[in-house]
Amino acid sequence: TVGCVAVDGNGNLAAATSTGGLVNKMVGRIGDTPMIGAGTYANCYCAVSATGKGESIIRATVARDVAALMEYKGLSLNEAAAYVIEECAPKHTAGLIAVSAKGEVTMPFNTVGMFRACATEDGHSEVKIWPDE
Amino acid sequence: MGWAIALHGGAGDIPRAMPPERLKPREAALHHCLQIGVDALKAGRPPLDVVELVVRELENNPHFNAGKGSVLTSNGTVEMEACIMDGNTKRCGAVSGLTTVKNAISLARLVMEKTPHIYLAFDGAEAFAREQGVENTDTSHFITPENIERLKQAKAANRVQIDFTQSTPKAGEKASVTALDSQDG
């Protein structure tokens, strides 16, 4: 799976995800990150793209839950994304990338690794795979 | 407040011992795609354009599981999916079950912009792609030798697996109930 989230200097947000699914999946299987609200979501608070085991991501409505925690509980992007990945999605099944309207970035995951990269206007940039790099 | 961008190329049981010949191209692709996105944002492109642009680039890279390089179904075919969403308007579009569309993400955007619907799948999505003149290609374009081998290994281990997860069953596991082949995931 691949995905990208972006926000401009005016707080406009967008998310996109694309995938081939699972190795050896059944023909006709729909259930991966493109499901709106599950693996991909954007509103005026944040934009989210998830990756991992699609069935788990759908059950946990991963992407929408990040936005909902920000909107209804007032959590920051980091707090909301960390809660969803650590408490909602089963272990070893999911990761996500997200940006907020304020230009924050987070990329949590509960798998061994996640191919990921980010950059912000203040000059921060990173490309990583495993958690402790 | 300022612009920001993040991208991913899949998650899973990525081995730390991944050989350099497999690791380096993926790292290079992440750098390349990030730079494309940064340049687009700096140029004032709307975030919706930026995420489509970056995902198209990732789809065209055979080292990631989307577009060229998509993993294979149990029948050895590809069935690709994509979704795009605009935060301001909450407009969105999604597609599933694509077999010939070169860039699924761009078709998802057309679903969002050119139809009253938000999700098209399989034959209907392919027909819509042809109607819109979206670039298509033979299915073989998407299939890589690496993914043919991964399917063989997954079948041998009787597993369904997420991106980059190794297909060898762990000691003591019953192959038929490992990973995703259990019905509860």
Side-chain angles (χ1 to χ4, degrees), chain B:
Chain B
M1 188 162 19
W3 59 256
I5 184 171
L7 59 94
H8 69 76
D13 186 14
I14 304 169
R16 286 179 182 270
M18 181 179 272
E21 66 270 20
R22 293 186 64 212
L23 185 60
K24 294 297 180 188
R26 289 170 172 85
E27 286 180 327
L30 291 174
H31 281 287
H32 171 68
C33 293
L34 183 63
Q35 194 57 51
I36 285 174
V38 167
D39 290 345
L41 282 167
K42 284 181 176 176
R45 297 278 298 273
L48 198 62
D49 287 357
V50 174
V51 296
E52 180 188 2
L53 183 69
V54 170
V55 168
R56 281 178 63 97
E57 197 70 17
L58 289 161
E59 287 176 335
N60 293 339
N61 190 302
H63 297 293
F64 298 113
N65 175 24
K68 187 176 178 63
S70 288
V71 297
L72 305 182
T73 70
S74 56
N75 283 1
T77 57
V78 291
E79 290 184 350
M80 298 170 287
E81 306 180 296
C83 177
I84 193 165
M85 188 162 186
D86 176 51
N88 275 346
T89 62
K90 291 188 183 174
R91 291 189 309 157
C92 51
V95 288
S96 282
L98 301 181
T99 57
T100 68
V101 175
K102 190 175 177 189
N103 290 107
I105 195 64
S106 292
L107 187 63
R109 184 164 181 182
L110 286 171
V111 170
M112 178 181 88
E113 294 182 338
K114 305 285 187 183
T115 82
H117 310 300
I118 61 171
Y119 205 142
L120 293 178
F122 295 94
D123 290 351
E126 289 279 345
F128 177 66
R130 288 192 294 274
E131 176 190 312
Q132 292 294 316
V134 169
E135 186 177 3
N136 63 6
T137 183
D138 188 86
T139 296
S140 61
H141 164 80
F142 303 106
I143 299 175
T144 64
E146 186 178 14
N147 282 335
I148 293 172
E149 185 58 32
R150 290 178 73 189
L151 177 62
K152 282 181 188 171
Q153 293 173 1
K155 279 180 173 289
N158 195 20
R159 293 184 76 156
V160 178
Q161 62 193 41
I162 63 175
D163 297 10
F164 306 105
T165 297
Q166 302 300 288
S167 53
T168 307
K170 293 170 185 170
E173 277 186 336
K174 290 182 180 176
S176 62
V177 292
T178 54
L180 253 192
D181 34 25
S182 67
Q183 287 302 300
D184 62 3

Side-chain angles (χ1 to χ4, degrees), chain A residues 15-90:
Chain A
T17 313
S18 183
T19 186
L22 299 165
V23 181
N24 202 23
K25 67 180 179 181
M26 291 176 68
V27 171
R29 178 249 189 192
I30 293 175
D32 231 313
T33 50
M35 295 292 285
I36 299 155
T40 306
Y41 192 75
N43 64 7
C44 60
Y45 288 86
C46 64
V48 183
S49 171
T51 176
K53 194 183 290 184
E55 283 78 357
S56 297
I57 290 168
I58 291 169
R59 288 191 185 96
T61 56
V62 164
R64 170 59 191 157
D65 270 17
V66 173
L69 286 166
M70 293 179 72
E71 182 173 1
Y72 299 126
K73 208 171 180 183
L75 298 190
S76 69
L77 180 75
N78 275 331
E79 292 169 338
Y83 180 83
V84 169
I85 290 298
E86 290 167 15
E87 305 296 335
C88 303

